[in-house]
Amino acid sequence: MTWRRNQLLGLASLAATSALGCIDPDARFDQFKDDCSSSDAGICKVRAALKCEAGATFPTAEQANGRYILAITTNLTPNAPMVLSVDFTATETADGLHISATGSTLAYWDRTTPVGESNSVIVQFDVPSSGEYAIHVPADPPIPADANPLIAAPVSADTTLSGTLCVYGNDVEYTSGIVSGEMFAPIKGNIDGEFGLHRADFESPTYSPSDDVLVGPDRRKTDIPPKR
Amino acid sequence: MRKTLAAVAAFSAVCSLVPSAQASGLLTARFGGEAGTPLTSNPTALYWNPAGMGASRGTHLYVDGLFAYRSFSYEHAKDPDEPAGSNGEVNQGTSSFGIFLAAPTLGVTTQLDLGNGPRAAALVLGAGLFAPFGGSAKIERESKGDPLYPGAIDGPGRWQNIEGETIGLYLSSGAAIDLPLAGDSADFAKRLRIGLSFSGVRTSVRTIRAKTGSFNADPAYEGRSILDVSGWHGAIGTGVQLQLGAFTLATSYQSQPGFGEQRLNGTAVNAFSQTDLQKKPSTSVDLIQTLPDVMRFGVGWRASERVELRLFGDYTRWSVFKTQCVVREGEPCNLDLDTGAAKPGPSSPITADMRRWKDAFGLRAGGSYFLDGEGRRELMFGLGWDGNAVPDSTLDSGEFDGDDLTAAVGTRLRISDSLYLGGTYTFYYTLPRDNTGKSIYTTLQSPSRAPDAGGKYTQNVHFLNVNLELVL
């Protein structure tokens, strides 16, 4: 078969394609993206971090210190967050706060049992007096499988939690924001989502794994998956 | 060779294929129309039964165009996997489409004498291009979208398929030998024909469907997942024909593409987030699957000078089609086929579609009436049944099958000394299926878990074959 015949065959094929119900997954993908751009729901909406409202002030170090429940939902687990207990130790700086956070991951099935190594979560970040912060959480160490509500595999993801820190009363009670980053394991891909940071102590007798684990600006409660 | 392969790839760009599920499962071979059987001697015998080529004399050039219109509907009730609080109505309703499809076939055979005289042994060589595996579907967008759940405009079947096609294209060559047996004569033919073919099989899969990162049907978090993979594998075909006077017995075997598990390479896009929708990240992946081998048989009886009757069928070993496993490029499919969960190990599949198909059987009866004694004008007819390969538990709108009833009428006319024009119209009616409450997808573990595919399915297909055969 000559080169010219090959080309003619290809052209004939393409000509036929235009007349028939051809498959074009990329075009269908773009249609969805376009439809999504005019929607404000689900993965289509651009999530907003909780903004400080009137009456809020920037917290002192003492107001920020303490233990919190950090709940992170992503597009992969929108209704079942990974839950961590974190302890903030804040020091005041010339332009805000410097916060060291240590903590542990909690089991996805009861949000009470520490799993993985204690104090495996160690990050430090600065919060300027504007209150806007970005916490970079590196992929290592990974979140243990028992804290992963989706599948029985450790999660390794390079993520950034972005939000605004403010106080309405005596202490920082709640802050939320958006999650963005890249997951490396168990699957690769970009992730985004929301988080909530709620002042609560998982070792306290008053702690409620359903009421104290909150996500997003609307303080949304989430499902507690059964143990695998 | 590279140019030839490029031509094959271009050839496959004709938005084929024939609808899925004809002749069981994804086996869609309809080329040749009513003459496409293991008894045939035209160049399509290279696929149906290479031994059949042995009965041809001279050189034959064959072109077949298969045109089809497939209509399909899937009606889905409330999804039991629907997360609490979400709007389940957007997953209910009917997905449907009607789609025109086309698939070309090319073939050539030429005979070499192995002796003297009209009844001497003969060797026939052949080459061809066939598209026996495949299917296409393109779900229509609904007329009005839901502002909260924009993905729902692609219908309730979007979780299994929005647009997709699977194509198996065979670039084949082969040979057949036609041997006279003791007692062979002009009055009573006794011939044994044995054939063998080798094929390069290009298998490709292109699909887009809705998916969430949680493998459920939550419309608030649905994104889109594209898979685009292809690969070349080898296959062989072999067959035997025994002619005893007015009777011809035939059997053939077409191996699995790749002789077992095949790995198709390409890319996947999984966009489950706003970021991914914008970036459309592409990952190099392999699709690992196993396609079946096919055994065929047939009996032909030339009852009189004007009448020929045929009975033929196929047995397709679809039970090997257990899953379609998408893994990162080069990784194995570590999957527990019972639970659908990833096996412990350094790698896990990105996603897997549980199939668990079963072997399927098809049977057709047909005949020809020759309007004259010289074979210049032939009328053909046929009735058939193609069995179902897909159990209720894994039936979905992406890979649909059912019990099919078929009826065909056709003709073959000699329009000059060396040119024949043929055509066959075939109607496929698939008995409606209802697997409501029987889909197991929501009971599987990730990465095999998927939205419920229970519902009511209907399908019918109109085929029109038009072919030209030049005999030199």
Side-chain angles (χ1 to χ4, degrees):
Chain A
M1 188 175 284
T2 66
W3 181 90
R4 183 173 174 77
R5 283 179 181 164
N6 285 327
Q7 300 309 304
L8 290 174
L9 186 55
L11 288 173
S13 299
L14 292 174
T17 298
S18 64
L20 299 166
C22 299
I23 302 305
D24 190 349
D26 290 310
R28 208 65 182 250
F29 183 96
D30 291 340
Q31 278 183 329
F32 176 69
K33 191 171 81 173
D34 291 344
D35 294 340
C36 206
S37 66
S38 60
S39 174
D40 188 27
I43 71 166
C44 300
K45 79 175 177 182
V46 178
R47 293 177 179 80
L50 178 66
K51 298 295 184 185
C52 296
E53 298 175 359
T57 60
F58 184 72
T60 64
E62 187 178 356
Q63 289 174 315
N65 283 341
R67 176 167 286 185
Y68 298 83
I69 291 292
L70 172 62
I72 299 173
T73 62
T74 70
N75 50 295
L76 300 178
T77 58
N79 295 305
M82 294 185 201
V83 182
L84 302 89
S85 172
V86 294
D87 294 299
F88 276 10
T89 303
T91 55
E92 294 178 8
T93 65
D95 184 36
L97 296 176
H98 176 79
I99 297 177
S100 295
T102 61
S104 303
T105 47
L106 301 179
Y108 69 86
W109 62 85
D110 65 6
R111 300 170 173 178
T112 303
T113 306
V115 294
E117 294 182 15
S118 178
N119 289 330
S120 59
V121 180
I122 303 173
V123 295
Q124 299 185 21
F125 58 99
D126 292 314
V127 186
S129 56
S130 67
E132 296 179 1
Y133 61 87
I135 309 172
H136 176 236
V137 182
D140 191 35
I143 302 290
D146 283 344
N148 181 356
L150 182 58
I151 60 174
V155 177
S156 177
D158 196 55
T159 53
T160 298
L161 312 183
S162 305
T164 307
L165 192 65
C166 45
V167 60
Y168 293 94
N170 293 329
D171 295 314
V172 174
E173 284 296 327
Y174 186 74
T175 182
S176 72
I178 59 175
V179 178
S180 60
E182 184 177 4
M183 182 178 289
F184 305 108
I187 62 173
K188 292 182 179 180
N190 294 310
I191 54 173
D192 63 12
E194 296 173 299
F195 73 90
L197 189 72
H198 184 216
R199 184 179 290 275
D201 182 354
F202 75 98
E203 292 180 313
S204 165
T206 61
Y207 169 71
S208 167
S210 59
D211 296 335
D212 288 323
V213 177
L214 305 172
V215 178
D218 52 354
R219 302 190 181 211
R220 188 174 78 252
K221 295 179 183 178
T222 52
D223 302 333
I224 303 178
K227 189 175 182 180
R228 285 184 287 266
Chain B
M1 181 64 181
R2 290 185 62 182
K3 288 178 181 176
T4 304
L5 296 182
V8 172
F11 194 76
S12 68
V14 175
C15 46
S16 48
L17 239 250
V18 208
S20 68
Q22 307 318 315
S24 77
L26 292 170
L27 191 62
T28 58
R30 289 298 305 173
F31 41 83
E34 198 53 28
T37 81
L39 298 161
T40 195
S41 61
N42 72 34
T44 64
L46 192 58
Y47 176 78
W48 295 114
N49 180 359
M53 294 188 299
S56 68
R57 291 294 178 266
T59 296
H60 294 240
L61 298 172
Y62 187 90
V63 179
D64 182 279
L66 175 60
F67 306 94
Y69 179 77
R70 178 192 183 197
S71 58
F72 175 86
S73 74
Y74 164 58
E75 181 184 347
H76 183 62
K78 180 168 174 55
D79 188 339
D81 192 36
E82 203 73 47
S86 67
N87 187 348
E89 291 182 359
V90 299
N91 284 335
Q92 300 172 34
T94 302
S95 288
S96 62
F97 63 84
I99 187 169
F100 286 101
L101 303 155
T105 295
L106 300 174
V108 58
T109 58
T110 189
Q111 172 224 347
L112 304 174
D113 287 330
L114 296 181
N116 295 322
R119 308 208 64 78
L123 175 68
V124 180
L125 305 178
L129 192 57
F130 311 97
F133 279 101
S136 293
K138 187 175 184 177
I139 299 292
E140 293 170 0
R141 280 163 63 89
E142 295 181 352
S143 57
K144 186 179 178 184
D146 184 311
L148 279 180
Y149 307 110
I153 199 168
D154 289 322
R158 67 190 182 281
W159 301 102
Q160 281 77 43
N161 180 52
I162 297 172
E163 288 190 23
E165 68 180 5
T166 299
I167 298 175
L169 196 68
Y170 280 57
L171 181 62
S172 305
S173 62
I177 189 165
D178 178 33
L179 301 170
L181 300 178
D184 176 60
S185 68
D187 294 331
F188 192 93
K190 281 188 174 180
R191 313 288 295 192
L192 176 65
R193 302 178 189 112
I194 301 170
L196 183 65
S197 68
F198 299 90
S199 298
V201 183
R202 183 180 189 271
T203 309
S204 63
V205 177
R206 289 198 306 149
T207 65
I208 179 171
R209 60 179 165 175
K211 212 170 181 64
T212 73
S214 306
F215 302 93
N216 64 11
D218 187 344
Y221 289 92
E222 71 174 279
R224 290 293 181 265
S225 179
I226 295 176
L227 180 67
D228 187 349
V229 293
S230 63
W232 282 93
H233 299 87
I236 62 166
T238 186
V240 176
Q241 273 190 1
L242 178 64
Q243 184 179 359
L244 297 172
F247 288 93
T248 302
L249 308 175
T251 184
S252 69
Y253 172 80
Q254 186 66 240
S255 79
Q256 296 171 270
F259 308 104
E261 182 179 279
Q262 63 174 193
R263 184 180 284 264
L264 309 179
N265 180 254
T267 58
V269 173
N270 286 307
F272 307 143
S273 69
Q274 183 61 221
T275 306
D276 285 343
L277 270 184
Q278 302 305 320
K279 292 185 176 178
K280 203 176 179 183
S282 179
T283 304
S284 294
V285 299
D286 292 335
L287 169 65
I288 299 173
Q289 63 180 6
T290 303
L291 294 177
D293 42 9
V294 188
M295 286 140 275
R296 294 187 171 84
F297 61 90
V299 180
W301 178 36
R302 188 65 181 252
S304 70
E305 186 180 63
R306 291 179 179 266
V307 175
E308 180 181 278
L309 299 175
R310 298 178 288 271
L311 179 68
F312 51 97
D314 59 71
Y315 181 83
T316 309
R317 213 159 53 91
W318 276 115
S319 57
V320 300
F321 192 53
K322 298 182 186 303
T323 184
Q324 291 180 292
C325 189
V326 178
V327 299
R328 279 173 285 275
E329 188 174 27
E331 291 186 350
C333 178
N334 285 328
L335 196 70
D336 182 328
L337 292 176
D338 293 325
T339 65
K343 289 180 180 175
S347 63
S348 68
I350 296 171
T351 186
D353 291 317
M354 198 62 74
R355 296 301 178 205
R356 298 180 183 173
W357 286 18
K358 56 189 181 182
D359 293 348
F361 181 75
L363 190 65
R364 287 160 63 190
S368 294
Y369 181 77
F370 299 91
L371 296 175
D372 56 52
E374 301 170 356
R376 301 181 70 93
R377 290 177 295 163
E378 177 184 0
L379 298 178
M380 294 177 281
F381 61 91
L383 294 172
W385 168 78
D386 282 325
N388 167 45
V390 187
D392 284 342
S393 57
T394 62
L395 180 69
D396 68 46
S397 57
E399 304 288 3
F400 177 74
D401 193 19
D403 288 309
D404 306 304
L405 303 176
T406 69
V409 293
T411 186
R412 184 170 183 264
L413 305 173
R414 187 173 180 177
I415 56 178
S416 75
D417 287 346
S418 57
L419 191 62
Y420 291 82
L421 172 66
T424 302
Y425 167 77
T426 307
F427 178 65
Y428 261 83
Y429 174 73
T430 304
L431 298 179
R433 297 193 65 178
D434 185 351
N435 68 333
T436 302
K438 298 175 182 174
S439 174
I440 62 164
Y441 286 167
T442 60
T443 68
L444 298 171
Q445 295 183 32
S446 304
S448 302
R449 183 182 169 83
D452 181 74
K456 297 177 180 177
Y457 296 82
T458 65
Q459 174 181 259
N460 58 61
V461 191
H462 303 264
F463 287 100
L464 180 63
N465 284 88
V466 179
N467 48 67
L468 279 172
E469 184 173 1
L470 181 64
V471 182
L472 302 173

Coordinates of all heavy atoms in Angstrom, one line a residue, chain B residues 21 24-25 160 318-323 353-360 387-403 433-441 444 453-455 457:
Chain B
A21 N -22.9 -5.6 22.0 CA -23.8 -6.6 22.4 C -24.4 -7.4 21.3 O -25.3 -8.2 21.5 CB -25.0 -6.0 23.2
S24 N -23.5 -11.6 21.1 CA -23.1 -11.7 22.5 C -21.9 -10.8 22.8 O -20.9 -10.8 22.2 CB -22.7 -13.2 22.8 OG -21.5 -13.5 22.3
G25 N -22.1 -10.2 23.9 CA -21.1 -9.3 24.5 C -20.7 -8.2 23.5 O -21.5 -7.6 22.9
Q160 N -22.1 5.2 34.3 CA -21.5 4.1 33.6 C -20.9 4.5 32.2 O -19.9 4.0 31.8 CB -22.6 3.0 33.4 CG -22.8 2.1 34.6 CD -23.7 2.9 35.6 OE1 -24.7 3.5 35.2 NE2 -23.4 2.8 36.9
W318 N -16.9 -15.7 27.1 CA -16.9 -14.4 27.8 C -16.6 -14.5 29.3 O -16.4 -13.5 30.0 CB -18.2 -13.7 27.6 CG -18.3 -13.0 26.3 CD1 -19.1 -13.2 25.3 CD2 -17.5 -11.8 25.9 NE1 -18.9 -12.3 24.3 CE2 -18.0 -11.4 24.7 CE3 -16.5 -11.0 26.6 CZ2 -17.4 -10.3 24.0 CZ3 -16.0 -10.0 25.9 CH2 -16.4 -9.6 24.6
S319 N -16.6 -15.7 29.8 CA -16.3 -15.9 31.2 C -14.9 -15.4 31.6 O -14.6 -15.2 32.8 CB -16.5 -17.4 31.7 OG -15.7 -18.2 30.9
V320 N -14.0 -15.3 30.6 CA -12.7 -14.8 31.0 C -12.7 -13.2 31.2 O -11.7 -12.7 31.7 CB -11.7 -15.1 29.8 CG1 -11.6 -16.6 29.7 CG2 -12.0 -14.4 28.5
F321 N -13.8 -12.6 30.8 CA -13.9 -11.1 30.9 C -14.4 -10.8 32.3 O -15.6 -10.6 32.5 CB -14.8 -10.6 29.8 CG -14.8 -9.1 29.6 CD1 -13.7 -8.4 29.4 CD2 -16.0 -8.4 29.6 CE1 -13.7 -7.1 29.2 CE2 -16.1 -7.1 29.4 CZ -14.9 -6.4 29.2
K322 N -13.5 -10.8 33.3 CA -13.9 -10.7 34.7 C -13.9 -9.2 35.1 O -14.7 -8.8 36.0 CB -12.9 -11.5 35.6 CG -13.0 -13.0 35.2 CD -12.1 -13.8 36.2 CE -12.1 -15.3 35.8 NZ -13.4 -15.9 35.8
T323 N -12.9 -8.5 34.6 CA -12.8 -7.1 35.1 C -12.1 -6.2 34.1 O -11.4 -6.8 33.2 CB -12.1 -7.0 36.5 OG1 -12.1 -5.6 36.9 CG2 -10.7 -7.5 36.3
D353 N -13.7 -1.9 36.8 CA -15.0 -2.2 36.5 C -15.2 -3.7 36.6 O -14.6 -4.5 35.8 CB -15.4 -1.7 35.1 CG -15.4 -0.2 35.0 OD1 -16.0 0.4 36.0 OD2 -14.9 0.4 34.0
M354 N -16.1 -4.1 37.5 CA -16.3 -5.6 37.7 C -17.2 -6.0 36.6 O -18.3 -5.4 36.3 CB -16.9 -5.8 39.0 CG -16.8 -7.3 39.5 SD -15.1 -7.8 39.7 CE -14.6 -7.0 41.2
R355 N -16.9 -7.1 35.9 CA -17.7 -7.6 34.7 C -18.3 -8.9 35.1 O -19.5 -9.1 34.9 CB -16.8 -7.7 33.5 CG -16.3 -6.3 33.0 CD -17.4 -5.4 32.7 NE -17.0 -4.0 32.3 CZ -17.8 -3.0 32.5 NH1 -19.0 -3.0 33.0 NH2 -17.3 -1.8 32.1
R356 N -17.5 -9.9 35.4 CA -18.0 -11.2 35.7 C -18.9 -11.8 34.6 O -20.0 -12.3 34.9 CB -18.7 -11.2 37.1 CG -17.8 -10.9 38.2 CD -18.5 -10.9 39.5 NE -17.7 -10.4 40.6 CZ -18.1 -10.2 41.9 NH1 -19.4 -10.4 42.1 NH2 -17.3 -9.8 42.8
W357 N -18.6 -11.6 33.4 CA -19.5 -12.0 32.3 C -19.5 -13.6 32.2 O -18.6 -14.2 32.9 CB -19.0 -11.4 31.0 CG -19.4 -10.0 30.8 CD1 -19.7 -9.1 31.8 CD2 -19.4 -9.2 29.6 NE1 -20.0 -7.9 31.3 CE2 -19.8 -7.9 30.0 CE3 -19.2 -9.5 28.3 CZ2 -19.9 -6.9 29.0 CZ3 -19.3 -8.5 27.3 CH2 -19.7 -7.2 27.7
K358 N -20.3 -14.1 31.5 CA -20.4 -15.5 31.3 C -20.4 -15.9 29.9 O -20.6 -15.1 29.0 CB -21.8 -16.0 31.9 CG -23.0 -15.3 31.3 CD -24.2 -15.7 32.1 CE -25.4 -15.0 31.5 NZ -26.7 -15.2 32.2
D359 N -20.0 -17.2 29.6 CA -19.9 -17.6 28.3 C -21.3 -17.5 27.6 O -22.3 -17.6 28.2 CB -19.5 -19.1 28.2 CG -18.1 -19.3 28.7 OD1 -17.4 -18.3 28.9 OD2 -17.7 -20.5 29.0
A360 N -21.2 -17.2 26.3 CA -22.5 -17.0 25.5 C -22.5 -17.8 24.3 O -21.4 -18.1 23.7 CB -22.6 -15.5 25.2
G387 N -27.2 -15.2 22.5 CA -27.3 -15.3 23.9 C -26.7 -14.1 24.7 O -25.9 -13.4 24.1
N388 N -27.1 -14.0 25.9 CA -26.6 -12.9 26.7 C -25.4 -13.3 27.5 O -25.2 -14.4 28.0 CB -27.7 -12.5 27.7 CG -27.2 -11.6 28.8 OD1 -26.5 -10.7 28.6 ND2 -27.6 -12.0 30.1
A389 N -24.4 -12.3 27.5 CA -23.1 -12.6 28.2 C -23.0 -11.9 29.6 O -22.2 -12.2 30.4 CB -22.0 -12.2 27.3
V390 N -23.9 -10.9 29.8 CA -23.8 -10.0 30.9 C -24.8 -10.4 32.0 O -26.0 -10.3 31.8 CB -23.9 -8.5 30.5 CG1 -23.6 -7.6 31.7 CG2 -23.0 -8.2 29.4
P391 N -24.3 -10.7 33.2 CA -25.3 -11.0 34.3 C -26.0 -9.8 34.8 O -25.5 -8.7 34.6 CB -24.4 -11.7 35.4 CG -23.0 -11.1 35.1 CD -22.9 -10.9 33.6
D392 N -27.1 -9.9 35.4 CA -27.8 -8.8 36.0 C -26.9 -8.0 37.0 O -27.1 -6.8 37.0 CB -29.1 -9.3 36.8 CG -30.2 -9.7 35.8 OD1 -30.2 -9.3 34.6 OD2 -31.1 -10.4 36.3
S393 N -26.1 -8.7 37.6 CA -25.3 -8.1 38.7 C -24.3 -7.0 38.2 O -24.0 -6.0 38.9 CB -24.5 -9.1 39.5 OG -23.7 -9.9 38.6
T394 N -23.9 -7.2 37.0 CA -22.9 -6.2 36.4 C -23.4 -5.5 35.1 O -22.6 -5.0 34.4 CB -21.5 -6.9 36.2 OG1 -21.7 -7.9 35.2 CG2 -20.9 -7.4 37.5
L395 N -24.7 -5.7 34.9 CA -25.2 -5.1 33.7 C -25.2 -3.5 33.8 O -25.6 -3.0 34.9 CB -26.6 -5.5 33.5 CG -27.4 -4.9 32.2 CD1 -26.8 -5.5 31.0 CD2 -28.9 -5.3 32.3
D396 N -24.7 -2.8 32.8 CA -24.8 -1.4 32.9 C -24.9 -0.8 31.5 O -24.8 -1.6 30.5 CB -23.6 -0.8 33.7 CG -22.3 -0.9 33.0 OD1 -22.2 -0.7 31.8 OD2 -21.3 -1.3 33.7
S397 N -25.1 0.5 31.4 CA -25.4 1.1 30.1 C -24.1 1.2 29.3 O -24.2 1.5 28.1 CB -26.1 2.4 30.3 OG -25.3 3.3 31.1
G398 N -22.9 1.0 29.9 CA -21.7 1.1 29.2 C -21.4 -0.1 28.4 O -20.8 -0.1 27.3
E399 N -21.7 -1.3 29.0 CA -21.4 -2.6 28.4 C -22.7 -3.4 28.5 O -22.8 -4.2 29.3 CB -20.2 -3.3 29.1 CG -19.0 -2.5 29.3 CD -18.2 -2.4 27.9 OE1 -18.7 -2.9 26.9 OE2 -17.1 -1.8 28.0
F400 N -23.5 -3.1 27.5 CA -24.9 -3.8 27.6 C -24.9 -5.0 26.7 O -24.3 -5.1 25.7 CB -25.9 -2.7 27.1 CG -27.3 -3.3 27.0 CD1 -28.0 -3.6 28.2 CD2 -27.9 -3.7 25.8 CE1 -29.3 -4.1 28.2 CE2 -29.1 -4.2 25.8 CZ -29.8 -4.5 26.9
D401 N -25.7 -6.0 27.1 CA -26.0 -7.1 26.3 C -27.3 -7.7 26.8 O -27.7 -7.5 27.9 CB -24.8 -8.2 26.4 CG -24.9 -9.2 25.4 OD1 -25.6 -9.0 24.4 OD2 -24.3 -10.3 25.5
G402 N -27.8 -8.6 26.0 CA -29.1 -9.2 26.3 C -29.3 -10.4 25.3 O -28.5 -10.6 24.4
D403 N -30.4 -11.1 25.5 CA -30.8 -12.1 24.5 C -31.3 -11.4 23.3 O -32.3 -10.6 23.4 CB -31.8 -13.0 25.1 CG -31.2 -13.9 26.2 OD1 -30.2 -14.6 25.9 OD2 -31.7 -14.0 27.3
R433 N -34.5 -5.8 29.4 CA -33.9 -6.3 30.6 C -34.3 -5.4 31.8 O -34.4 -4.2 31.6 CB -32.4 -6.5 30.5 CG -32.0 -7.5 29.5 CD -30.5 -7.8 29.6 NE -30.2 -8.5 30.9 CZ -29.0 -8.9 31.2 NH1 -28.0 -8.7 30.4 NH2 -28.8 -9.5 32.4
D434 N -34.4 -6.0 33.0 CA -34.7 -5.2 34.2 C -33.9 -5.8 35.3 O -34.2 -6.9 35.8 CB -36.2 -5.2 34.5 CG -36.5 -4.4 35.7 OD1 -35.6 -3.9 36.4 OD2 -37.7 -4.2 36.0
N435 N -32.8 -5.1 35.7 CA -32.0 -5.6 36.8 C -32.1 -4.7 38.0 O -31.2 -4.6 38.8 CB -30.5 -5.7 36.3 CG -29.9 -4.4 36.1 OD1 -30.6 -3.4 35.8 ND2 -28.6 -4.3 36.2
T436 N -33.3 -4.1 38.2 CA -33.5 -3.2 39.3 C -33.3 -4.0 40.6 O -33.8 -5.1 40.8 CB -34.9 -2.7 39.3 OG1 -35.1 -1.9 38.1 CG2 -35.2 -1.7 40.5
G437 N -32.5 -3.5 41.5 CA -32.2 -4.2 42.8 C -31.2 -5.3 42.7 O -30.9 -5.9 43.7
K438 N -30.6 -5.5 41.5 CA -29.7 -6.7 41.3 C -28.3 -6.2 41.1 O -27.4 -7.0 41.1 CB -30.2 -7.6 40.2 CG -31.5 -8.2 40.5 CD -32.0 -9.0 39.2 CE -33.4 -9.6 39.5 NZ -33.9 -10.2 38.3
S439 N -28.1 -4.9 40.8 CA -26.7 -4.5 40.5 C -25.9 -4.5 41.8 O -26.3 -4.1 42.9 CB -26.8 -3.0 40.0 OG -25.5 -2.5 39.9
I440 N -24.7 -5.1 41.7 CA -23.8 -5.2 42.8 C -22.8 -4.1 43.0 O -22.0 -4.1 43.9 CB -23.0 -6.6 42.8 CG1 -22.1 -6.6 41.5 CG2 -24.0 -7.8 42.8 CD1 -21.0 -7.6 41.6
Y441 N -22.8 -3.2 42.1 CA -21.8 -2.2 42.1 C -21.6 -1.5 43.4 O -20.5 -1.2 43.9 CB -22.0 -1.1 41.0 CG -21.8 -1.6 39.6 CD1 -22.2 -0.9 38.5 CD2 -21.1 -2.8 39.4 CE1 -22.0 -1.4 37.2 CE2 -20.9 -3.3 38.1 CZ -21.3 -2.6 37.0 OH -21.1 -3.0 35.7
L444 N -19.6 -3.4 46.2 CA -18.2 -3.7 46.0 C -17.3 -2.6 46.8 O -17.8 -1.5 47.1 CB -17.8 -3.6 44.5 CG -18.5 -4.7 43.6 CD1 -18.2 -4.4 42.2 CD2 -18.0 -6.1 44.0
A453 N -26.4 0.4 39.0 CA -26.7 0.4 37.5 C -28.0 -0.4 37.3 O -28.2 -0.9 36.2 CB -25.5 -0.2 36.7
G454 N -28.8 -0.6 38.3 CA -30.0 -1.3 38.2 C -31.0 -0.4 37.4 O -31.0 0.8 37.4
G455 N -31.9 -1.1 36.6 CA -32.8 -0.3 35.8 C -33.4 -1.2 34.7 O -33.2 -2.4 34.6
Y457 N -33.7 -1.7 30.7 CA -32.9 -1.5 29.5 C -33.7 -2.0 28.2 O -34.3 -3.0 28.3 CB -31.6 -2.3 29.5 CG -30.6 -1.9 30.6 CD1 -30.8 -2.3 31.9 CD2 -29.6 -1.0 30.3 CE1 -29.9 -2.0 32.9 CE2 -28.7 -0.7 31.3 CZ -28.8 -1.1 32.6 OH -27.9 -0.8 33.6

